[in-house]
Every structure is written in structure tokens, then in C-alpha cells.
Amino acid sequence: MSEKSPRLRGALDGIPTYKPGRPAAAAEGGAPAYKLSSNENPYPPLPGVMESAVAAAGSFNRYPDMACSALTAELAEHFGVPQSHLATGTGSVGVAQSLVQATSGPGDEVIYAWRSFEAYPIITQISGATSVRVPLTDGDVHDLDAMADAITDRTRLIFVCNPNNPTGTVVRRAELERFLDRVPADVLVVLDEAYREFIRDADVPDGIELYRDRPNVCVLRTFSKAYGLAGLRVGFAVAHEPVAAALRKTAVPFGVSQLAQDAAVASLRAEDALLERVEALVVERGRVVEALRGQGWTVPETQANFVWLRLGERTLDFAAACERAGVVVRPFAGEGMRATIGEVAGNDLFLQAAEAYRKEL
Ligand code: PMP
């Protein structure tokens, strides 16, 4: 056998692997365990989704509609945007990867805040471009002035994650508009709004309003979080024509299954039930944040479906304590941990674990 192996691109060397939130194993004594590690929605699919899924199953021998026509039409109507400004993909992470591929290659720079969504460094490196990470402020918020200062003539794309994963913090209208005014017209700004539906701060702008008169702004949304379809992998971008067209060119052909397309349409039509569930999670978020603060923790204001504790060197120890109590959270070693707002019983267990840990300090 030849000693040679196929030549792989050097750009792949050292790519950090995406660490998905760990699943929940049964806790000590066999008690139920809760997975609060992946920002999933604890509710089952919205009304109408199961029926559409069962119906779609009858056509599994067929390829899906490659253009996602029905979903695109529904999204255009729902958000009041032209169909030509929409592009769908395998989760918003799939669309984000297409955006990087469409704009950036070797020698180009992609700017994002850090810490932020862990897929950004991965998809940037895969494309061969260089990551430029701009630290969050002391309050764990995007430092938009520093991000604008980091722009060079090699910058091709900037991610602004609003609310930011994993901190839950937001950037508000005035600062975001000031930032967008500073970005050159030939640099794409991607407003990643995966958690948009959970925002209750009226000063946080809707990216879909901002993009309208800014051809270099693209908004990313997903059905994975508020809509509860993480397992079906469907997300979309709203962007002006050249960018949306480029996304359609770079997307994996037939990437979004018919099941996912039909379920997404059914979910968009279940708006009332969606709003009710999201509101219940927002109320629960308020309860969790208040309880943590009552225990003495510093919790940054979160507008997403998760909370962040900056625990530094104690992070892994805290996560292990949660796990022993039956709750899996998402630790970032040496930095902090993110816990999703899940079902009430899971949130209660998390709060109990946090309180017990606090008392030991
Ligand atoms: N953007 C952000 C900020 C996220 O947190 C996530 C999910 N972790 C995604 C995008 C991707 O979600 P999906 O691919 O399921 O749409």
C-alpha cells in the first residue's frame, strides 16, 4: 500500500472541532437529567408541524424542492421582503458557512467578537480566511468601536451576534447604526439573530429593518431556537440581491429536506402558539436571572434563551457540580458557562445546584 495519503488543504490543520452541547445522562440515583447545554427549545413542535412531517414522510423517495419555493414565499410574506432577498440553508450555521465561502478566502479577514458563536472560527478557517477576534467588553458586550477599528482593506465579512451566544448580551440601535455607518460598503456585515424572538428590549433593532436600506447588511435567522426545529436543520438569510444570489449559488444542492421545509412553513403559520411559548420562556428567563442574582451571582442582562456566568477557573468545577445534580450546562473552560432556559423542573435543578455551589465558595 502506498504511504501517501490524499492531499488535504493545509487550511484545515488545527481547525477546532465544534463541540455540541453534551446530552444529559441520568443523574446520581437515576433521577431525570436535563440538557441545558444546546439552547434548544424544551417544547415539542408547534401545532400542525407533526401533521406536515407525517405527510412529508410519504415522499421520502423524492428529492426536496431545491428552491424551497413554498417556504421562501411564506417567509417573504411573513417578513415583508422580496423573495429574491431570501436564501435558505441547512440551519443558519449552513447559511453562515455559505456567506463566508461567498465572500472570503486566503488572505481575507473575517471579524467577529470573542467569545461568540463557536462556529465562526471554524467556518472562517475552512474557507482559508483569517479570523480577527475582537474581545467583548468587560460587561461581555460586543465592542463595536473596536470592531470598526479592526477593519482593514482585507476585511470581507463581519459577524455581529445579537444577542450574543454565549453571553446573551445585546447591542442596541444607536450603537449598531453608528457601527454600520463606519463599515465600508464593500464589507458584508452579518447580523446573526438566531435568538431574535426572545428579545424584549425595545432598543434592540430588528435586523430586517436595518438591512432594507443597507445593501451590505445580511440578517441570519433560524427555525432551531424559538420555533423548536433544531433537529430539522433549516435557517435563512435576508440580504440584498447580489448577496442572496451568491448564497443560493454556494448552498449545498437539496440541502434542506422537504420535511424541514414543510415543518418550517407550518411553524410560521402557528404564530400565536409560538408567541405564547416564547413568552413563557422569557418569563422563565426572568425568574432564573433574578434567582441567580438573589444567590449573589453576577449575571449579565440576557435577551436570549440562556444565561451566562463568568466563572473563570471555576467553570469546569461548576459544570461538574451541575451534572452531579442532573443538569448538563455548557462550560467554556477558564471563561464561564452557559445554561439554557429549559423546562421549569430543569431550571429549578440548575438553580439548586448554583445555590449549593455558591454556598461552598
Ligand atoms: N447562530 C448562533 C448565534 C447560534 O447560537 C446558533 C446555534 N447554536 C446558530 C447560529 C446556528 O443554529 P442553526 O444552525 O441550528 O440554525
Side-chain angles (χ1 to χ4, degrees):
M1 224 169 37
S2 159
E3 304 219 325
K4 281 195 178 159
S5 58
R7 265 200 245 181
L8 303 174
R9 285 170 57 229
L12 304 189
D13 294 342
I15 288 187
T17 37
Y18 189 106
K19 289 203 198 85
R22 293 244 326 278
E28 277 171 5
Y34 293 89
K35 183 184 177 202
L36 302 183
S37 53
S38 292
N39 296 342
E40 291 157 340
N41 193 318
Y43 291 101
L46 286 159
V49 171
M50 291 301 272
E51 292 80 350
S52 77
V54 170
S59 306
F60 279 174
N61 54 318
R62 305 286 174 198
Y63 284 102
D65 169 4
M66 190 163 129
C68 293
S69 327
L71 175 57
T72 303
E74 194 82 18
L75 286 168
E77 168 91 24
H78 194 86
F79 292 104
V81 299
Q83 292 193 28
S84 60
H85 285 195
L86 284 158
T88 47
T90 53
S92 55
V93 74
V95 186
Q97 177 153 27
S98 291
L99 283 166
V100 176
Q101 263 168 355
T103 56
S104 313
D108 298 332
E109 292 174 351
V110 175
I111 299 177
Y112 49 85
W114 201 249
R115 182 168 278 277
S116 190
F117 181 32
E118 67 179 303
Y120 300 155
I122 299 171
I123 58 184
T124 300
Q125 199 172 330
I126 291 173
S127 79
T130 303
S131 279
V132 177
R133 298 178 181 194
V134 178
L136 298 170
T137 65
D138 289 344
D140 284 322
V141 179
H142 274 61
D143 188 341
L144 289 180
D145 287 337
M147 288 174 76
D149 290 342
I151 296 170
T152 69
D153 56 10
R154 290 185 298 279
T155 309
R156 295 290 173 272
L157 185 150
I158 307 174
F159 283 109
V160 176
C161 188
N162 202 28
N164 186 46
N165 174 7
T167 58
T169 50
V170 287
V171 288
R172 298 191 170 77
R173 183 172 287 104
E175 53 182 325
L176 187 52
E177 285 184 350
R178 196 174 61 227
F179 168 77
L180 293 175
D181 288 342
R182 281 187 65 188
V183 178
D186 61 353
V187 173
L188 183 68
V189 179
V190 178
L191 302 178
D192 184 343
E193 297 187 336
Y195 303 96
R196 166 76 205 165
E197 295 83 359
F198 300 103
I199 295 176
R200 289 296 177 272
D201 181 334
D203 276 343
V204 180
D206 179 341
I208 295 180
E209 295 313 318
L210 288 180
Y211 108 98
R212 290 184 195 276
D213 56 0
R214 294 180 188 268
N216 67 332
V217 170
C218 169
V219 182
L220 269 188
R221 297 279 182 94
T222 181
F223 284 93
S224 297
K225 311 295 176 181
Y227 286 91
L229 296 181
L232 287 185
R233 315 306 305 126
V234 52
F236 61 97
V238 183
H240 287 266
E241 201 129 357
V243 175
L247 283 176
R248 288 191 289 269
K249 277 186 205 159
T250 51
V252 175
F254 304 108
V256 183
S257 72
Q258 199 61 48
L259 175 55
Q261 296 180 33
D262 294 352
V265 169
S267 300
L268 283 170
R269 291 183 182 163
E271 181 83 353
D272 290 349
L274 170 84
L275 294 177
E276 215 174 283
R277 289 167 180 204
V278 168
E279 185 55 27
L281 288 170
V282 166
V283 169
E284 200 43 21
R285 170 179 81 195
R287 182 179 79 90
V288 170
V289 168
E290 206 177 310
L292 287 171
R293 288 185 180 149
Q295 293 171 10
W297 298 101
T298 302
V299 190
E301 200 212 316
T302 171
Q303 292 288 315
N305 66 338
F306 50 83
V307 291
W308 169 251
L309 294 181
R310 187 163 278 291
L311 296 159
E313 295 311 314
R314 292 202 175 91
T315 300
L316 294 183
D317 192 39
F318 178 92
C322 287
E323 197 151 336
R324 285 194 297 276
V327 195
V328 185
V329 299
R330 179 74 169 89
F332 297 91
E335 293 175 62
M337 77 91 229
R338 185 193 73 199
T340 306
I341 304 299
E343 41 281 87
V344 173
N347 302 334
D348 280 343
L349 267 190
F350 168 65
L351 287 173
Q352 283 163 24
E355 185 168 35
Y357 193 92
R358 185 87 204 169
K359 285 192 179 139
E360 297 282 302
L361 291 183

